[in-house]
């Protein structure tokens, strides 16, 4: 799966979880700027793990602050890094 496909899924999940228009989401979008609280972020990560059939370690989870961070973490997890 390439970065664009991952972005599209991440944006769709973020739109659903945070209740925002998908057009507001870019790779540079920071979740805090969308008023995502800690529960929202947990829901996002859980949805990412379910969608991509992966498990992220705690260090990687804590590093996710933006859409780009989420994509990087998903790519790294899929590659076994």
């Amino acid at each position: 799966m390439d970065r664009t496909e991952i972005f599209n899924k991440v944006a769709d999940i973020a739109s659903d979880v945070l209740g925002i228009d998908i057009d507001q989401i870019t790779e540079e979008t920071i979740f805090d700027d969308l008023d995502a609280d800690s529960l929202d972020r947990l829901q996002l990560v859980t949805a990412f793990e379910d969608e991509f059939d992966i498990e992220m370690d705690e260090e990687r989870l804590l590093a996710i602050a933006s859409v780009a961070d989420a994509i990087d973490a998903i790519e790294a997890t899929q590659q076994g890094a």
Side-chain angles (χ1 to χ4, degrees), residues 22-41:
I22 197 165
D23 294 333
Q24 291 180 269
I25 302 170
T26 68
E27 248 192 78
E28 293 77 31
T29 298
I30 297 172
F31 294 119
D32 285 348
D33 291 345
L34 301 175
D35 295 326
D37 61 22
S38 58
L39 180 57
D40 291 329
R41 291 170 68 131

Side-chain angles (χ1 to χ4, degrees), residues 59-73:
E59 182 179 327
R60 197 166 272 142
L61 294 175
L62 295 173
I64 297 175
S66 68
V67 171
D69 293 340
I71 295 168
D72 292 342

Side-chain angles (χ1 to χ4, degrees):
M1 181 174 298
D2 69 19
R3 191 168 182 90
T4 301
E5 291 173 309
I6 295 171
F7 166 77
N8 289 334
K9 288 185 178 198
V10 167
D12 190 46
I13 291 167
S15 173
D16 287 345
V17 169
L18 301 175
I20 60 168
D21 190 303
I22 197 165
D23 294 333
Q24 291 180 269
I25 302 170
T26 68
E27 248 192 78
E28 293 77 31
T29 298
I30 297 172
F31 294 119
D32 285 348
D33 291 345
L34 301 175
D35 295 326
D37 61 22
S38 58
L39 180 57
D40 291 329
R41 291 170 68 131
L42 178 61
Q43 288 177 313
L44 285 168
V45 170
T46 301
F48 298 153
E49 289 179 325
D50 290 346
E51 177 67 32
F52 295 98
D53 194 28
I54 57 173
E55 277 191 42
M56 293 186 213
D57 61 43
E58 187 173 338
E59 182 179 327
R60 197 166 272 142
L61 294 175
L62 295 173
I64 297 175
S66 68
V67 171
D69 293 340
I71 295 168
D72 292 342
I74 291 163
E75 286 179 327
T77 304
Q78 287 180 331
Q79 295 168 1

